[in-house]
Amino acid sequence: MALQVYHGKTKVEAKEVGKPAPPLPKEAASPFRTRAVEENLRLFERMRAGRYGEGEAVLRMKGDLLSENSSLWDPAAYRVLFHAHPRTGDAWCIYPT
């Protein structure tokens, strides 16, 4: 899967069992989804370097927006968290979600 860095949060609605899938919410497809790989890598390096605060940036995997399971649309992979890790200390400021 391609990695995408999105700013902010996306909110989607869940599908009810037995009903046809509703139209895809417009907020499900982020405007950052088609950003160039080079730009994504630059933003990821900034994220790893601690240039974003907690909650300011999220690394998302580019998922299947046509899936009925909204958890697979663009799942979050890493978040910024400024806490010491038991093994790595302060070496990293991004953590898996």
Side-chain angles (χ1 to χ4, degrees):
M1 289 187 189
L3 295 178
Q4 300 287 318
V5 177
Y6 298 135
H7 299 278
K9 298 179 182 176
T10 299
K11 186 175 181 181
V12 295
E13 295 179 20
K15 175 184 176 268
E16 288 185 38
V17 177
K19 291 191 174 187
L24 192 65
K26 62 182 174 185
E27 65 268 14
S30 170
F32 306 114
R33 204 164 201 282
T34 57
R35 184 183 284 155
V37 172
E38 296 79 17
E39 177 70 7
N40 284 325
L41 290 173
R42 186 182 70 75
L43 291 171
F44 178 63
E45 288 303 321
R46 288 175 52 100
M47 193 173 161
R48 279 187 57 194
R51 309 245 337 246
Y52 295 107
E54 291 184 18
E56 288 184 351
V58 172
L59 179 76
R60 293 190 173 272
M61 295 184 289
K62 193 172 185 179
D64 180 10
L65 291 179
L66 300 178
S67 173
E68 289 186 15
N69 184 351
S70 62
S71 299
L72 299 177
W73 287 351
D74 282 344
Y78 284 92
R79 68 194 184 290
V80 177
L81 190 61
F82 293 106
H83 294 283
H85 188 273
R87 286 189 10 215
T88 60
D90 294 327
W92 291 85
C93 64
I94 58 173
Y95 288 86
T97 57

